[in-house]
Amino acid sequence: MGKKLVGTDNLDEAICQATGKVYADGTIILTPGAKDELSKRGVPIVYGPAPERAECAPTPMAEAASPGLEKLVLAVSAILNTQYGIKNPEQLKVLSCQVVKTIKENI
């Protein structure tokens, strides 16, 4: 099986929804642009295998979300990380979803 090239255009597919990390386990190649974007978003790169596949399966919210909504969640997560110093992936996930829910309810 060949390796998958991950650039800025398909970066969201490589982010584990459960952990908020990208696992570079030898099956993907991250472009320099993808690495820069991950750094901007505060998404860690783990050089090694991902946890059990069930843990990295898309969350029900992510499955129902449109690509635009998923990008909004990731952008909010990056803001919380860079502007407010929140580094815990689980906390980022919960807070990002709460912020997006609040935005959706008030539009």
Side-chain angles (χ1 to χ4, degrees):
M1 182 185 329
K3 295 183 180 187
K4 181 177 180 180
L5 182 64
V6 177
T8 55
D9 57 332
N10 63 342
L11 184 59
D12 295 334
E13 297 170 16
I15 299 172
C16 175
Q17 295 297 319
T19 64
K21 299 176 183 178
V22 171
Y23 294 91
D25 59 359
T27 62
I28 65 170
I29 299 171
L30 293 168
T31 65
K35 290 178 183 178
D36 289 345
E37 183 62 24
L38 289 169
S39 178
K40 281 187 216 174
R41 295 182 189 183
V43 175
I45 302 170
V46 176
Y47 292 94
E52 292 296 317
R53 276 299 187 203
E55 286 185 35
C56 280
T59 60
M61 182 187 160
E63 288 175 355
S66 67
L69 185 59
E70 188 173 343
K71 286 182 180 182
L72 177 60
V73 171
L74 291 171
V76 168
S77 179
I79 291 168
L80 290 170
N81 183 316
T82 59
Q83 299 294 317
Y84 296 96
I86 299 170
K87 303 293 183 198
N88 181 298
E90 192 59 38
Q91 189 178 16
L92 278 171
K93 181 178 168 183
V94 170
L95 290 173
S96 297
C97 289
Q98 288 175 346
V99 168
V100 170
K101 180 180 176 191
T102 302
I103 291 170
K104 283 179 63 178
E105 290 172 352
N106 291 292
I107 291 181

